Amino acid sequence: MAYSKTKTQSDEPKRDLRQEVTDAMVAALEQGKIPWAKPWKNLDQGLPRNLQSGKQYNGGNRMLLLFSMIERGYSDPRFSTFQQIKAEGGAVNKGEKGIPVELWKDQKFWERNDVSVTQNGQRVRVLSEARGQVETSAGTVPKEALRVEHKGQSMAWNEARKLDSVVGKTYTVFNVQQTTGLQLAPLARVGNDVPMNERGEQIKAAMSRDGLGFSEGGNQAFYSPVTDRVTLPPRDAFKHEEGYYGTMLHEIGHATGAAQRLNRDGITGRHDFGSEGYAREELRAELFSMMSAVETGIPHDPEQHAAYVQSWAKVLKQDRNEIFRAASEASKACDYVFERVNTLKNEHAATAEATQAQPAEATMPMPPAPAPRERVKEAELTL
């Protein structure tokens, strides 16, 4: 998927990054192409992250940078702004094109250009607020002493909180492979030290601990919101174990939307098969699978869900924010799962370390666990 990289000139309309990305995505889908059907296994150093902080990019930025990495052939997931790279002693190579990302921040109502604050009828500038006191250009006063004016309406300080908003700004970042002069520490490669089946079982164990059930049977993979259970075909029904674990990850993506987890409408709304809401949820699970593939090295086959291509094109056409909304929720789902995976791994490591520190003791063998009873088959919602 490509998007325009033309610089915005002062006499040109303000750039609409979301519309550019949406248009490119819709164009690909309408041609029957899935934009995220890429060889993500080549990105084996993890998800995009900031060079200075090491923090991963989230939401739409994670999606944009992943697409850019695969299109441009970057294997290093580290990005930074021109000025940050310069501050680190590096330089962006001449002629390199940056990648736009969004930075969103909360905006207090008194920071808005269409809001004014008065004290005793005189306009004042608000500097900060803390513990019921407001620091203004005229001094520190109780919030009750101030009035807020917005579009001809006068209101009290607390009432004006409804005017708080979120504002976004587009920044340009560069991949470290577009630079010279940076002193870069090597990055570990995802999953190289852990076999595929172990990685998959780690994720399964972490989500089982989170209350998610797993079972095998039949010839369909699905998540049931009613029973909070992922059902997969038997392992031998898959040609490769990558297919088994990739399919499992996709269904886990759906499971993150349960009310007791991320409470996502695509799951809690019980949308009928073939509906617009159903297609939106599949889009989120697909983006989750794509992000998880980069995080774990477990590949995902998007062609399994190619039937949704035209539905995705339709919902994206209707709202330029939808792909960013979907990417944000997929990013949260990915973080939810791997926070639990890391917690479980850390606990196992701590237990192993404590065990090694203990003197060896004779132990009685444990009796074998009873065989699990066969579960009653229940009506399921296939996703």
Side-chain angles (χ1 to χ4, degrees):
M1 184 196 73
Y3 48 81
S4 170
K5 303 178 183 71
T6 304
K7 290 185 178 181
T8 301
Q9 304 298 325
S10 59
D11 57 347
E12 294 178 349
K14 184 178 179 182
R15 180 177 189 177
D16 191 337
L17 174 62
R18 294 195 165 205
Q19 193 63 58
E20 290 178 23
V21 173
T22 298
D23 290 346
M25 189 83 71
V26 169
L29 291 170
E30 289 185 334
Q31 294 174 23
K33 300 176 182 177
I34 301 177
W36 51 91
K38 308 287 186 180
W40 300 108
K41 62 182 180 181
N42 295 339
L43 306 182
D44 59 358
Q45 293 183 321
L47 293 168
R49 68 198 71 174
N50 181 265
L51 171 64
Q52 280 73 22
S53 67
K55 293 182 179 179
Q56 293 180 351
Y57 289 93
N58 294 313
N61 289 337
R62 181 180 293 184
M63 175 189 68
L64 289 175
L65 294 176
L66 280 172
F67 284 150
S68 295
M69 287 177 67
I70 199 67
E71 287 174 0
R72 301 187 186 190
Y74 303 144
S75 58
D76 196 307
R78 290 172 286 191
F79 292 83
S80 200
T81 65
F82 183 94
Q83 291 299 328
Q84 289 173 333
I85 290 168
K86 185 177 179 181
E88 292 290 320
V92 176
N93 297 333
K94 186 176 181 179
E96 291 287 352
K97 300 291 186 180
I99 302 160
V101 295
E102 296 179 326
L103 177 64
W104 293 88
K105 59 174 288 188
D106 293 332
Q107 183 183 50
K108 296 297 184 182
F109 64 86
W110 67 78
E111 297 174 333
R112 293 176 50 155
N113 293 330
D114 58 352
V115 167
S116 61
V117 179
T118 60
Q119 178 183 352
N120 297 325
Q122 298 296 315
R123 186 169 180 172
V124 295
R125 182 165 56 91
V126 175
L127 305 176
S128 65
E129 176 192 18
R131 300 190 181 122
Q133 298 289 306
V134 180
E135 183 183 1
T136 75
S137 53
T140 301
V141 298
K143 59 185 180 182
E144 292 80 9
L146 301 173
R147 296 296 296 176
V148 178
E149 308 290 335
H150 176 248
K151 295 184 177 180
Q153 181 184 4
S154 178
M155 63 192 79
W157 184 267
N158 283 343
E159 184 185 0
R161 294 191 191 280
K162 65 184 180 182
L163 301 176
D164 286 350
S165 58
V166 179
V167 295
K169 185 176 180 180
T170 300
Y171 286 83
T172 299
V173 295
F174 297 85
N175 186 271
V176 295
Q177 291 178 229
Q178 297 176 275
T179 70
T180 53
L182 289 173
Q183 299 297 314
L184 298 172
L187 294 176
R189 297 186 181 276
V190 172
N192 276 9
D193 57 340
V194 182
M196 172 76 68
N197 63 324
E198 288 187 28
R199 275 176 275 156
E201 292 301 322
Q202 286 173 351
I203 297 168
K204 184 177 179 180
M207 292 307 294
S208 294
R209 184 177 179 181
D210 197 55
L212 180 62
F214 290 89
S215 58
E216 293 183 4
N219 58 8
Q220 285 188 314
F222 55 88
Y223 167 66
S224 168
V226 176
T227 59
D228 194 28
R229 177 172 297 276
V230 165
T231 299
L232 299 169
R235 290 174 186 254
D236 58 11
F238 294 85
K239 293 181 180 179
H240 309 285
E241 68 176 4
E242 288 91 342
Y244 176 84
Y245 286 113
T247 302
M248 180 188 73
L249 268 178
H250 179 91
E251 301 306 330
I252 287 175
H254 286 305
T256 61
Q260 69 273 26
R261 297 188 183 97
L262 298 178
N263 196 29
R264 195 167 59 243
D265 175 72
I267 295 299
T268 59
R270 306 290 176 87
H271 300 283
D272 293 334
F273 179 80
S275 67
E276 185 176 294
Y278 197 100
R280 290 176 187 271
E281 173 59 24
E282 280 297 334
L283 179 59
R284 283 146 178 78
E286 279 292 282
L287 294 178
F288 166 86
S289 293
M290 176 262 286
M291 295 175 186
S292 297
V294 178
E295 184 74 358
T296 66
I298 298 175
H300 170 65
D301 181 10
E303 296 301 327
Q304 293 182 5
H305 298 84
Y308 297 101
V309 165
Q310 296 308 314
S311 296
W312 291 332
K314 180 181 177 181
V315 298
L316 296 188
K317 258 185 171 180
Q318 294 172 348
D319 182 359
R320 69 184 180 88
N321 295 311
E322 175 59 18
I323 188 60
F324 286 82
R325 194 178 297 118
S328 176
E329 294 189 353
S331 176
K332 291 175 183 176
C334 189
D335 292 344
Y336 182 95
V337 170
F338 292 105
E339 282 173 7
R340 280 146 186 80
V341 170
N342 291 333
T343 296
L344 188 59
K345 287 168 64 177
N346 291 338
E347 289 180 2
H348 285 173
T351 299
E353 184 177 348
T355 301
Q356 291 177 357
Q358 294 290 331
E361 296 180 359
T363 58
M364 293 289 290
M366 295 292 292
R373 292 179 294 176
E374 185 177 354
R375 299 184 185 277
V376 178
K377 190 172 182 180
E378 301 163 323
E380 308 286 5
L381 174 63
T382 303
L383 285 175

